[in-house]
Amino acid sequence: MIKATIKSLLSRKLRLLLSGLAVVLGVMFVAGSMVMKDTLGRSFDAQFAGAHDDIDLQVSLKPKVEAEVGDAAAVPPAVDAATVRRVAQVPGVGTARGVVEAEGARALGKDGKVVPSTGGPRYGESWTGENKLVSLREGRAPRAADEITINAALADKGGFKVGDRVSVLTVQPKKTFTVAGIFGYSDDRDSIGGEQTIAFTEPVAQELMMGKAGSFSGISVHAASGASVPTVQEALKQQLGADFEVQTGEELAEKSADAQRQTLDLMTKLLLGFAAVAVLVGVFLIINTFSIIIAQRLRELALLRALGASRRQVIGSVLLESLVVGLIASTIGLAAGVGIGALGADALAGSTDGLKVAPLGLPTGAVVTSFVVGVGVTMLAALFPAMRASRVAPIAVIRASATPDGRHRKQTVTGAVLLGLGLVLLAMGLFGSADNALSTILGGVLLTFIGVALLTPLFSGPAVWVLGGLFSRSLPGQLGRRNSARNPRRTAITASALMIGIALVTAISTIVSSAKDSMSDDVSSQLKAELVALGDGGVSAAIEPAALDRAKELPGMAAVTAGAFDSAKIGKETGSVSSWRDWDATRKMMSLRAESGDIDSVPQGAVLMNKGTAKDRGLNVGDELTIQLQRGDSRTYRLTGVFEDMPLANNIVLPWADAQSGFRSQQPSQAYFELKSGTSVDDVQPQLEKVLADSPEVTVQSRDEVVQKYNSGMDMMLGIVQALLAVALIIAVLGIINTLALSVLERTKEIGALRAIGLSRGQTVRMIMTESVVISIFGAVLGLVVGAALGAAVVRAMKDQGVSGLSLPWSMMFNYLLGAVVVGMLASIAPARRGARLDVLKAVSHE
């Protein structure tokens, strides 16, 4: 039986390997993500190795808020000089020195803009002298209040040299300093992890980075000679209590490396997403390939049964073929994945200055996972065709080589059950009152999707017959139409590969399009400000308050308001909060309408919030909530008003005085400008840009540009989804090629007969191309319908998230349909050429 299986496999190796290409793509993305993660992980470890060799331990207070909004770093709580002296007296401590190091110091380049990032954070610190980690390369240490020393990475990126005057932004307005020196790190590194560091004198660092004289962000500790670092660490923990963190240099290095791995994790998840799509679509391709091959081997299998082969042996024979295909595809995919991982590691390393890529490695997990995924998926997909093959009766040896498509009642029943459950979950999510409506709808979407895929054979025959009518004016078109409708199950499985990709991207395109249009409509209808100043650096951007006062005096200016945003601990969770310099002007400029309570003002001890935020947190007017800002103590606030959702103001709104004392920065990061009636935007905008010239992180934009800026993130997501569609299209092409190639082989005698009675080679090509295009259009139309329906269901569930209406991406949907036609034409080229080149006499006599 094994010999028979091997001979069967060798006789059909090209067809089986073609189906294995889908597995190759899936394994390639899985292996590539793991290889890239391993390589860059070791690269970051090497980059940060020794990053804190200048200390044994570091003592710091635990941050009050773990920042999660934009790029706003958590403010390090201030450690006073008394604590430094207390640490110095702990047994085992040799020296203890207060240090300042915090994110948020941004140098301005010679063009007046913030020096571009080199891949890491921007630190402001106090200069503590040279040591085995840090050494001066040029100049000297800062001595005066207006002097700084910068690291070599910042000097190179900004084109700075010793003696240059450099402006620096911190939590305070811009200040200008003289570059006294440039320093580097051990092992000839310009930076550690792409960070940019500006070192001030200690009093200046305390003022600019901590906001308070005599305060430190932490304490650098060196153990006394002969003292054990772990013993000293434990003693410090016991002495200082739970409010403090005591970390070794190695722990700090690992923490820094983990922060840099966030981008790596995102890329890994992206590649795994591509892998999931490739594997899912590949299942249909493998099932179809083995189903067709088994149908063509009906006589062979029946003969084996007649010679005594058991059903178990037949199943084993088919699974052995799938095992070989899976092993070969996994091996190829693993090799390709190593290449993808290497390219990805080089690309990401290139975005981080000074990061050297570690030698390429092949982790054991990547090898094991690649073969488990590749072989497992191939054998699982071949299991159902194998079970079907085992039911071939010995009497079938005298029948034709293929059998008509069966009813497959179990598949139909399973599909109907899953579809029914999916529709029930959709109804519960859309019309029920469950708190987890969106999760319920997503579950319903998944079940509905699978149910539709299983039920596709029921209507694939009539559907392709109708679609084929578009091409039935000629004889080749009529024949292609009949061929595509001949085997509904085969057509359905072939089209499903394309359907999955198009349904996925259509659903997400519908959601994104609806969200973008809702955003545009809300801003256009509610925002009265014609000009907006937004930061390019997220919520850490700063606008000088004095500049806003000058903007009010510009000719044609009707009203000015500005907002600040930050992270805060709200109850037990971290979230975002906002505050507005002139709430009355903000409320009028954004046309905010009260949903409940009073929103005319934000008095001390009170907060306002939009309807969606209040619903998510289960709060009503009169309820109290505790908020811990980044500075100061936690406070209890009362919710005094809820306003209708407006994208630019959806947040928890605090009194401006509290923001000034508790936010990371005392400066606003956004500003809105309403002009008097009849005033031209083109006249005011240049003047406003001059007024805001000393706030280089913000750009003055029109209302339409603001909408475009907020929608850019969704456009990026849509681009990623369309890349997923490209993967699905590649596999769909392989599936159609495989199906048509096997179909041509199966109909060799039939095609020979048609050629014998006068069908030309050109007509044969058009016949097979019509069959391919009809199958592709069927898959595309089904994908568009299913994707639009499921996307609409999710949009309906996102009503409370500000998505107010459904917008179908008609132009994209048309392009997807047009792309399906192209896919069908391309996929038909190789099978059509083979069919057209058949020798008529040999084809007619083919068995």
Side-chain angles (χ1 to χ4, degrees):
M1 195 68 187
I2 294 177
K3 290 182 179 179
T5 301
I6 294 175
K7 288 184 178 180
S8 173
L9 181 63
L10 292 175
S11 66
R12 299 173 176 85
K13 54 183 179 294
L14 182 60
R15 281 169 272 167
L16 290 172
L17 289 178
L18 189 61
S19 66
L21 286 178
V23 179
V24 170
L25 288 174
V27 171
M28 178 182 72
F29 288 120
V30 170
S33 63
M34 299 183 74
V35 168
M36 183 183 69
K37 186 173 184 178
D38 173 76
T39 302
L40 284 179
R42 288 184 288 107
S43 301
F44 284 128
D45 289 340
Q47 176 76 0
F48 287 97
H52 297 276
D53 279 351
D54 55 326
I55 62 171
D56 290 329
L57 296 166
Q58 178 172 286
V59 176
S60 61
L61 278 166
K62 293 179 179 179
K64 296 180 178 181
V65 180
E66 294 291 344
E68 292 184 351
V69 181
D71 60 351
V75 173
V79 177
D80 57 24
T83 305
V84 178
R85 292 191 294 270
R86 180 182 171 192
V87 167
Q89 296 171 0
V90 173
V93 172
T95 61
R97 178 175 182 175
V99 296
V100 176
E101 182 184 68
E103 288 189 53
R106 293 94 70 199
L108 302 185
K110 297 176 181 179
D111 59 354
K113 300 295 184 181
V114 174
V115 175
S117 170
T118 48
R122 297 180 173 103
Y123 288 118
E125 64 177 30
S126 57
W127 176 256
T128 56
E130 295 182 89
N131 49 53
K132 59 182 179 180
L133 175 66
V134 176
S135 60
L136 282 167
R137 294 183 182 176
E138 300 178 39
R140 56 173 175 78
R143 297 170 184 168
D146 66 342
E147 292 181 340
I148 57 174
T149 300
I150 61 178
N151 71 346
L154 176 57
D156 179 66
K157 198 71 175 181
F160 303 132
K161 61 183 184 296
V162 173
D164 284 350
R165 296 285 288 173
V166 177
S167 296
V168 179
L169 298 175
T170 59
V171 294
Q172 295 189 18
K174 180 179 71 175
K175 295 183 182 299
T176 303
F177 300 86
T178 299
V179 177
I182 297 173
F183 65 90
Y185 302 93
S186 59
D187 298 327
D188 198 33
R189 290 174 290 180
D190 291 346
S191 73
I192 298 177
E195 46 77 40
Q196 296 177 358
T197 298
I198 301 174
F200 308 90
T201 60
E202 185 177 282
V204 174
Q206 291 173 333
E207 177 190 354
L208 298 183
M209 305 311 301
M210 303 300 298
K212 184 179 180 181
S215 59
F216 304 95
S217 63
I219 306 170
S220 293
V221 176
H222 288 87
S225 178
S228 168
V229 172
T231 301
V232 177
Q233 182 181 24
E234 188 61 31
L236 286 169
K237 287 181 178 179
Q238 292 180 0
Q239 184 69 238
L240 298 173
D243 291 338
F244 285 84
E245 291 181 318
V246 183
Q247 298 170 289
T248 65
E250 291 80 5
E251 290 171 340
L252 289 170
E254 180 64 24
K255 186 176 181 179
S256 299
D258 287 341
Q260 292 294 310
R261 289 192 183 104
Q262 293 180 359
T263 302
L264 175 59
D265 291 339
L266 178 62
M267 287 297 298
T268 301
K269 291 176 182 178
L270 179 60
L271 287 177
L272 289 176
F274 282 97
V277 172
V279 169
L280 178 62
V281 179
V283 167
F284 289 91
L285 175 54
I286 297 167
I287 291 175
N288 207 22
T289 299
F290 277 93
S291 297
I292 296 172
I293 289 177
I294 286 169
Q296 294 174 350
R297 295 171 55 196
L298 186 61
R299 280 189 173 182
E300 176 188 327
L301 295 172
L303 180 59
L304 290 173
R305 291 296 309 280
L307 293 175
S310 65
R311 291 185 62 182
R312 180 178 297 179
Q313 285 178 310
V314 173
I315 293 176
S317 173
V318 177
L319 291 181
L320 179 58
E321 292 184 14
S322 68
L323 173 62
V324 174
V325 172
L327 287 173
I328 295 174
S330 298
T331 302
I332 298 173
L334 177 59
V338 172
I340 291 292
L343 292 174
D346 287 338
L348 282 180
S351 64
T352 302
D353 286 7
L355 180 63
K356 298 179 180 179
V357 181
L360 187 66
L362 183 58
T364 303
V367 178
V368 173
T369 304
S370 296
F371 281 97
V372 168
V373 171
V375 175
V377 167
T378 306
M379 295 187 70
L380 183 63
L383 179 61
F384 297 104
M387 295 176 64
R388 183 184 179 197
S390 70
R391 291 192 290 267
V392 175
I395 193 65
V397 73
I398 63 174
R399 296 178 184 164
S401 62
T403 58
D405 193 41
R407 293 182 179 274
H408 302 282
R409 293 178 180 176
K410 290 183 180 180
Q411 176 179 322
T412 302
V413 172
T414 303
V417 171
L418 292 177
L419 178 61
L421 289 175
L423 293 176
V424 169
L425 289 178
L426 285 173
M428 290 173 58
L430 291 173
F431 306 108
S433 56
D435 294 334
N436 56 346
L438 185 57
S439 299
T440 303
I441 286 179
L442 291 177
V445 166
L446 178 61
L447 292 180
T448 301
F449 190 73
I450 297 174
V452 170
L454 293 176
L455 292 175
T456 302
L458 287 180
F459 51 85
S460 63
V464 297
W465 183 260
V466 173
L467 293 173
L470 299 172
F471 309 94
S472 61
R473 293 185 180 181
S474 62
L475 177 61
Q478 293 176 13
L479 293 173
R481 177 191 191 188
R482 292 177 181 273
N483 290 334
S484 60
R486 178 184 295 184
N487 194 321
R489 184 172 181 272
R490 182 184 302 175
T491 298
I493 295 177
T494 304
S496 292
L498 187 60
M499 182 268 287
I500 290 174
I502 291 184
L504 174 66
V505 76
T506 300
I508 297 180
S509 297
T510 299
I511 297 169
V512 171
S513 178
S514 299
K516 289 173 62 177
D517 288 349
S518 296
M519 170 75 177
S520 300
D521 293 343
D522 289 346
V523 172
S524 299
S525 61
Q526 292 182 245
L527 184 62
K528 295 180 180 180
E530 289 85 357
L531 292 171
V532 179
L534 290 178
D536 297 326
V539 297
S540 67
I543 302 175
E544 289 193 9
L548 296 175
D549 295 333
R550 293 195 299 271
K552 287 183 179 180
E553 306 302 322
L554 290 176
M557 189 68 68
V560 175
T561 189
F565 300 81
D566 208 348
S567 299
K569 189 174 182 181
I570 305 163
K572 296 182 179 181
E573 300 177 353
T574 300
S576 59
V577 292
S578 65
S579 187
W580 298 87
R581 194 164 178 249
D582 185 341
W583 173 250
D584 186 58
T586 302
R587 178 178 58 82
K588 295 176 181 178
M589 202 177 298
M590 295 190 179
S591 305
L592 298 181
R593 296 181 291 271
E595 175 72 19
S596 58
D598 180 14
I599 67 168
D600 290 342
S601 62
V602 192
Q604 285 297 308
V607 294
L608 307 179
M609 62 184 66
N610 64 297
K611 178 182 176 182
T613 300
K615 182 176 181 180
D616 290 341
R617 296 188 174 276
L619 296 172
N620 297 305
V621 171
D623 290 346
E624 293 185 342
L625 64 161
T626 301
I627 299 178
Q628 171 63 66
L629 299 178
Q630 297 214 38
R631 302 180 190 275
D633 298 326
S634 63
R635 304 179 188 179
T636 299
Y637 293 87
R638 184 179 299 277
L639 178 59
T640 58
V642 175
F643 52 88
E644 293 184 0
D645 294 334
M646 199 283 177
L648 300 179
N650 288 346
N651 217 310
I652 296 176
V653 181
L654 295 170
W656 183 251
D658 290 1
Q660 290 291 283
S661 61
F663 277 19
R664 180 176 187 273
S665 173
Q666 297 178 355
Q667 302 174 80
S669 58
Q670 297 181 8
Y672 296 81
F673 307 90
E674 182 180 355
L675 306 184
K676 295 178 181 178
S677 178
T679 302
S680 171
V681 171
D682 294 336
D683 292 338
V684 177
Q685 186 167 353
Q687 301 178 57
L688 186 57
E689 290 173 346
K690 290 181 180 179
V691 170
L692 297 177
D694 287 335
S695 302
E697 288 181 298
V698 298
T699 304
V700 180
Q701 304 171 52
S702 67
R703 188 161 41 200
D704 292 339
E705 289 172 332
V706 171
V707 173
Q708 185 176 358
K709 181 182 180 68
Y710 275 91
N711 287 337
S712 60
M714 288 185 282
D715 290 334
M716 182 182 298
M717 182 181 68
L718 186 57
I720 294 174
V721 173
Q722 289 175 330
L724 288 174
L725 174 62
V727 174
L729 287 177
I730 292 172
I731 300 176
V733 169
L734 297 176
I736 297 172
I737 291 174
N738 209 20
T739 299
L740 291 178
L742 295 173
S743 181
V744 168
L745 180 63
E746 182 180 87
R747 304 200 311 263
T748 298
K749 191 170 185 177
E750 174 188 319
I751 293 174
L754 290 172
R755 291 291 313 282
I757 62 176
L759 193 70
S760 67
R761 286 187 173 184
Q763 289 176 315
T764 303
V765 170
R766 291 198 297 275
M767 175 186 72
I768 296 174
M769 185 174 290
T770 298
E771 181 179 355
S772 176
V773 171
V774 168
I775 293 174
S776 296
I777 292 178
F778 169 61
V781 170
L782 184 60
L784 291 172
V785 172
V786 173
L790 297 182
V794 176
V795 167
R796 171 65 177 79
M798 294 177 67
K799 186 176 182 180
D800 291 336
Q801 280 72 41
V803 183
S804 56
L806 174 65
S807 298
L808 292 175
W810 293 110
S811 60
M812 289 185 182
M813 293 169 69
F814 176 77
N815 290 334
Y816 300 154
L817 184 61
L818 187 62
V821 174
V822 175
V823 165
M825 295 176 67
L826 293 175
S828 69
I829 293 175
R833 290 182 63 187
R834 177 173 181 175
R837 292 179 178 181
L838 286 176
D839 185 285
V840 176
L841 293 179
K842 290 182 179 180
V844 171
S845 60
H846 177 78
E847 290 294 339

